Amino acid sequence: MNQNPFEQILETCKFVLENAKHVKIDEKQINKFIAQIKDQTTEHWLSSNPCEILDLKIDELVHFLIILGSINYSFWGEPKWTIETDRGAMDGAFAQIYVLMKLRTQKGHLNFENITFEEFKKAYQGNVEIPFLKKRYETVKQISKIINSKMNGNFYQFIKDIKTDQELLEIITTYFPSFEDKRTYHNKTIYFYKLAQLATSDILQIREQQEKMKTDYSNLVGCADYKIPQVLRELGILIYDQELSNIVDQKQTIEENSIYEIEIRASMIVAINKIKQKTNRKAIEINDLIWSFGQNKNKNWRPYHLTRTTSY
């Protein structure tokens, strides 16, 4: 990347919002939200130590996070992919963590370059087949192959001196093609890098906690997914026009790289950074706080937009 990647994301997302037909931002609702969260904080999602991943040594934990980050997408479905475990039924990202930890235990390591599709498929066996099963398999093998061939088999050692989000994001997006996340809108390339930003955030925050070192993840701009726009819409910050509202509320699939999808994702990024400008919070902290709101199962949320994609 020649340009600062975070500036690139913000500039192109602002371009989308300036030309958006179906989504707009309500500034008054942003101010209400800021007042609402004045005294609220949220813990990083890894703090709950899902499947005891924090018991891994730091080099293996960082290795685990880059593998998880590369395939941490598209869990929705009717019915949703769910697995039975010794902890009860699990779905979504936490079920995937369970699967990867199970594979690590079986193989004795996280080097999955030579894992067979049969081994991988068996580990993911649930009520239905997880979306993009073959793609996840190919990505896990590819990530492992790149780490083995270009990083001497140790991703942690390769990035251990990197302490800033821009440097780490550039490593991730340069070396691992599966983290690509661009769209085209009015003949202009729009950048998101959702998975790369999330992996960057997770790795830097966990290294800060585990190694008692100072890292800088203040430049991250937000992870454009489907849960955060859903919450922002409920808060009245994102407003969809009638056409898009009908599509989302009727749970119609929205195509990847469609105008609808790009406008939703870009508006979400711009909204988070508007909140950032009016507070002293990091964009990724605002991102995580809004995401945590969306985990409230007691809320009667309107649906999130449905796009089958490997980007989120």
Side-chain angles (χ1 to χ4, degrees):
M1 298 178 185
N2 296 321
Q3 185 184 358
N4 178 310
F6 305 115
E7 291 177 359
Q8 202 173 39
I9 296 167
L10 279 176
E11 286 177 11
T12 58
C13 285
K14 286 176 181 175
F15 169 80
V16 172
L17 188 63
E18 288 164 1
N19 293 276
K21 178 182 176 184
H22 302 287
V23 188
K24 64 180 180 179
I25 291 174
D26 188 329
E27 298 278 352
K28 291 181 180 178
Q29 294 301 321
I30 283 181
N31 294 331
K32 284 185 181 179
F33 177 67
I34 290 171
Q36 179 185 338
I37 64 168
K38 183 180 178 183
D39 300 316
Q40 290 193 30
T41 58
T42 185
E43 288 189 324
H44 188 264
W45 71 274
L46 283 172
S47 299
S48 65
N49 195 15
C51 303
E52 288 77 51
I53 62 173
L54 296 186
D55 295 350
L56 299 174
K57 292 180 179 178
I58 189 63
D59 57 342
E60 200 172 15
L61 176 55
V62 168
H63 192 127
F64 182 92
L65 289 174
I66 196 65
I67 292 174
L68 174 68
S70 70
I71 55 173
N72 211 14
Y73 52 66
S74 201
F75 298 107
W76 59 269
E78 291 291 345
K80 189 176 184 181
W81 169 72
T82 305
I83 60 172
E84 292 298 329
T85 77
D86 52 3
R87 302 152 192 259
M90 299 177 73
D91 62 30
F94 291 107
Q96 182 159 256
I97 289 171
Y98 182 91
V99 167
L100 291 176
M101 286 293 280
K102 182 179 177 181
L103 285 170
R104 172 196 170 272
T105 300
Q106 289 173 355
K107 301 190 77 65
H109 51 71
L110 287 166
N111 183 349
F112 296 139
E113 182 175 359
N114 297 317
I115 193 172
T116 67
F117 181 62
E118 288 70 28
E119 288 176 299
F120 193 80
K121 183 177 181 180
K122 184 178 179 181
Y124 273 88
Q125 190 169 350
N127 59 328
V128 294
E129 183 172 292
I130 190 172
F132 293 120
L133 176 66
K134 194 68 182 288
K135 180 66 177 175
R136 292 175 203 268
Y137 168 71
E138 291 167 351
T139 299
V140 162
K141 282 177 65 73
Q142 181 190 60
I143 294 285
S144 296
K145 184 176 182 179
I146 292 166
I147 290 173
N148 289 337
S149 63
K150 297 184 178 180
M151 301 177 179
N152 200 28
N154 195 315
F155 178 66
Y156 172 77
Q157 287 295 326
F158 192 78
I159 58 99
K160 71 174 184 177
D161 295 326
I162 292 175
K163 300 177 182 179
T164 69
D165 46 20
Q166 182 171 342
E167 289 179 286
L168 184 53
L169 187 88
E170 287 181 349
I171 289 287
I172 291 171
T173 54
T174 299
Y175 280 86
F176 303 119
S178 61
F179 282 91
E180 187 66 83
D181 186 6
K182 302 175 185 176
R183 299 289 189 263
T184 303
Y185 184 84
H186 293 344
N187 299 314
K188 184 179 177 70
T189 301
I190 312 301
Y191 299 88
F192 292 107
Y193 294 119
K194 187 270 180 180
L195 296 180
Q197 286 197 77
L198 186 57
T200 297
S201 172
D202 289 347
I203 290 168
L204 290 179
Q205 291 197 57
I206 214 64
R207 291 195 67 196
E208 190 168 82
Q209 292 173 24
Q210 299 277 1
E211 299 182 81
K212 309 303 179 190
M213 61 185 283
K214 183 62 181 172
T215 63
D216 180 10
Y217 47 92
S218 63
N219 301 296
L220 296 166
V221 296
C223 302
D225 65 355
Y226 49 86
K227 289 297 293 183
I228 295 173
Q230 178 192 28
V231 176
L232 290 175
R233 185 184 178 209
E234 287 298 318
L235 292 168
I237 292 173
L238 293 190
I239 299 176
Y240 299 171
D241 72 354
Q242 194 61 53
E243 182 180 331
L244 180 55
S245 293
N246 290 341
I247 291 170
V248 173
D249 294 343
Q250 292 170 16
K251 297 184 178 181
Q252 297 176 27
T253 302
I254 293 174
E255 291 299 313
E256 180 181 65
N257 205 42
S258 66
I259 288 176
Y260 302 128
E261 188 223 13
I262 296 167
E263 290 187 2
I264 290 171
R265 296 185 78 200
S267 299
M268 188 215 99
I269 294 292
V270 175
I272 283 177
N273 285 274
K274 282 180 177 289
I275 296 167
K276 176 188 175 181
Q277 289 167 7
K278 296 183 177 186
T279 65
N280 61 355
R281 296 174 186 256
K282 297 180 180 71
I284 197 66
E285 291 173 349
I286 298 164
N287 180 100
D288 292 352
L289 183 62
I290 296 168
W291 180 85
S292 70
F293 285 9
Q295 305 312 301
N296 186 344
K297 306 296 185 184
N298 297 320
K299 288 277 189 179
N300 187 23
W301 304 102
R302 284 173 291 180
Y304 46 72
H305 75 279
L306 300 177
T307 298
R308 189 61 76 194
T309 174
T310 58
S311 295
Y312 56 95

